[in-house]
């Protein structure tokens, strides 16, 4: 976000990367990396660039300098480095900055919507099953629950999740765990910033993709990002042609899924079908 803001200010004044780099005793490639968010920020450098770009009023400078300080602050997820896959740190940073999170989930309830018991069962069954220590499972679950605070912070993003009905069948944990998870989804759906839809079984087979997430940000200069996870890592797509394809698919999935008003009845039917 900070890099995009600095780039828009520089371009608005017609100043080259070379001239901007000279101002802060750096190269044009350093300015490029700053504007792409691929390097740390010195508050002094940001202050000098703002002066160069004509941003001199304190009321205009203060929010951007605050953003520079925030950009250098370690994310909460650093506390869980020992149980985090290396690729997830970049995604968690994007997720925490997003204003809209749209996602489709095929096999599991999304992490942001899981109960603690469901999360524990999911981690134990799907994350190198049989090889994770009890402590690692507990730390991973703790991290997942901490991550969910994103949805209850003072300025929460809007979460719009489409969950394939296959993910709500009794495969994770016990019947009681799944029944409690369905009840949790019902409660969360009543939250103003959360929309949950279920893709019925008769439609799920036509989706020629796995799970994916589309992130949108408040800064108009930042493109939407599509996040895709696979067995050994993840990729993030931001080319307009790629993002457009996934947004079209997301819209089609939403049309084929239950309406928000019909969610409760659908969850009740699934809960009633769970054998004790």
């Amino acid at each position: 976000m900070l890099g995009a803001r600095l780039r828009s200010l520089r371009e608005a004044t017609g100043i080259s990367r070379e001239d901007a780099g000279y101002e802060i005793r750096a190269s044009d490639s350093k300015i490029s990396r700053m504007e792409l968010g691929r390097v740390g920020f010195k508050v002094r450098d940001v202050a000098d660039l703002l002066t160069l770009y004509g941003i001199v009023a304190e009321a205009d400078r203060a929010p951007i300098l605050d953003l520079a300080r925030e950009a250098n602050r370690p994310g909460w997820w650093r506390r869980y480095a020992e149980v985090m896959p290396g690729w997830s740190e970049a995604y968690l940073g994007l997720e925490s900055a997003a204003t809209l999170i749209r996602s489709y989930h095929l096999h599991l309830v999304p992490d942001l919507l899981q109960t603690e018991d469901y999360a524990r069962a999911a981690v134990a069954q799907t994350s190198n099953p049989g090889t994770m220590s009890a402590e690692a499972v507990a730390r991973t679950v703790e991290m997942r629950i901490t991550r969910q605070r994103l949805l209850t912070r003072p300025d929460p993003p809007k979460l719009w999740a489409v969950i394939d009905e296959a993910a709500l069948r009794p495969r994770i944990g016990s019947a009681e765990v799944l029944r409690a998870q369905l009840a949790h989804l019902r409660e969360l759906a009543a939250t103003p910033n959360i929309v949950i839809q279920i893709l019925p079984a008769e439609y799920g087979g036509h989706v020629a993709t796995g799970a994916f997430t589309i992130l949108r940000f408040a800064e108009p200069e930042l493109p939407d990002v599509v996040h895709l996870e696979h067995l050994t890592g993840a990729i993030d797509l931001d080319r307009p042609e790629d993002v457009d394809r996934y947004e079209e698919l997301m819209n089609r999935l939403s049309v084929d899924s239950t309406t928000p008003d019909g969610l409760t009845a659908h969850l009740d039917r699934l809960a009633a079908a769970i054998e004790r």
Side-chain angles (χ1 to χ4, degrees):
M1 292 174 66
L2 177 58
R5 178 71 61 84
L6 291 174
R7 182 178 69 248
S8 66
L9 291 173
R10 180 182 59 77
E11 292 176 345
T13 58
I15 294 173
S16 68
R17 290 195 185 95
E18 291 82 358
D19 289 342
Y22 180 81
E23 182 69 17
I24 63 169
R25 303 153 297 280
S27 64
D28 62 317
S29 62
K30 169 72 175 294
I31 295 296
S32 177
R33 293 194 300 274
M34 289 175 67
E35 292 179 351
L36 292 171
R38 293 176 179 171
V39 67
F41 295 91
K42 293 180 180 178
V43 175
R44 183 187 67 180
D45 288 346
V46 174
D48 289 345
L49 289 174
L50 291 179
T51 300
L52 179 65
Y53 301 155
I55 309 300
V56 295
E58 184 60 27
D60 296 327
R61 293 169 65 88
I64 302 175
L65 293 174
D66 286 344
L67 199 57
R69 297 183 186 96
E70 182 67 24
N72 291 324
R73 186 172 297 134
W76 61 263
W77 48 87
R78 297 283 180 86
R79 304 195 305 271
Y80 301 97
E82 79 279 9
V83 294
M84 281 175 54
W87 54 262
S88 63
E89 181 171 352
Y91 173 74
L92 291 174
L94 290 171
E95 184 181 77
S96 67
T99 56
L100 173 62
I101 303 170
R102 298 183 71 190
S103 60
Y104 168 65
H105 301 268
L106 179 59
H107 300 297
L108 295 169
V109 171
D111 291 359
L112 289 172
L113 302 179
Q114 293 178 3
T115 65
E116 185 171 344
D117 287 340
Y118 182 97
R120 186 176 297 105
V123 170
Q125 290 179 224
T126 62
S127 300
N128 298 321
T131 64
M132 290 186 71
S133 67
E135 181 181 0
V137 171
R139 286 285 286 167
T140 303
V141 172
E142 180 184 328
M143 176 183 169
R144 192 164 296 182
I145 299 305
T146 301
R147 178 180 166 195
Q148 294 175 3
R149 295 175 186 170
L150 173 76
L151 299 175
T152 55
R153 70 187 188 191
D155 59 335
K158 180 172 183 178
L159 174 65
W160 189 339
V162 174
I163 305 173
D164 196 292
E165 189 172 299
L168 302 177
R169 300 298 183 185
R171 298 182 306 108
I172 300 296
S174 66
E176 282 304 313
V177 166
L178 181 57
R179 195 174 289 110
Q181 177 63 68
L182 297 179
H184 186 58
L185 292 177
R186 190 185 303 112
E187 294 172 3
L188 290 173
T191 306
N193 62 309
I194 298 176
V195 175
I196 300 173
Q197 294 181 270
I198 298 174
L199 184 67
E202 58 264 31
Y203 289 105
H206 83 287
V207 181
T209 184
F212 64 92
T213 300
I214 306 173
L215 302 173
R216 180 164 294 173
F217 308 92
E219 294 294 322
E221 297 89 352
L222 291 179
D224 290 358
V225 172
V226 177
H227 178 75
L228 306 169
E229 297 182 11
H230 53 82
L231 184 61
T232 58
I235 56 173
D236 294 314
L237 309 175
D238 63 2
R239 294 193 310 169
E241 56 268 36
D242 294 330
V243 174
D244 288 348
R245 290 285 301 276
Y246 277 93
E247 289 184 338
E248 290 170 5
L249 176 57
M250 192 75 231
N251 291 337
R252 188 165 79 246
L253 289 168
S254 296
V255 169
D256 289 343
S257 299
T258 59
T259 65
D261 290 341
L263 176 70
T264 296
H266 201 96
L267 288 173
D268 288 344
R269 286 195 295 274
L270 291 175
I274 297 173
E275 296 181 1
R276 291 186 177 276

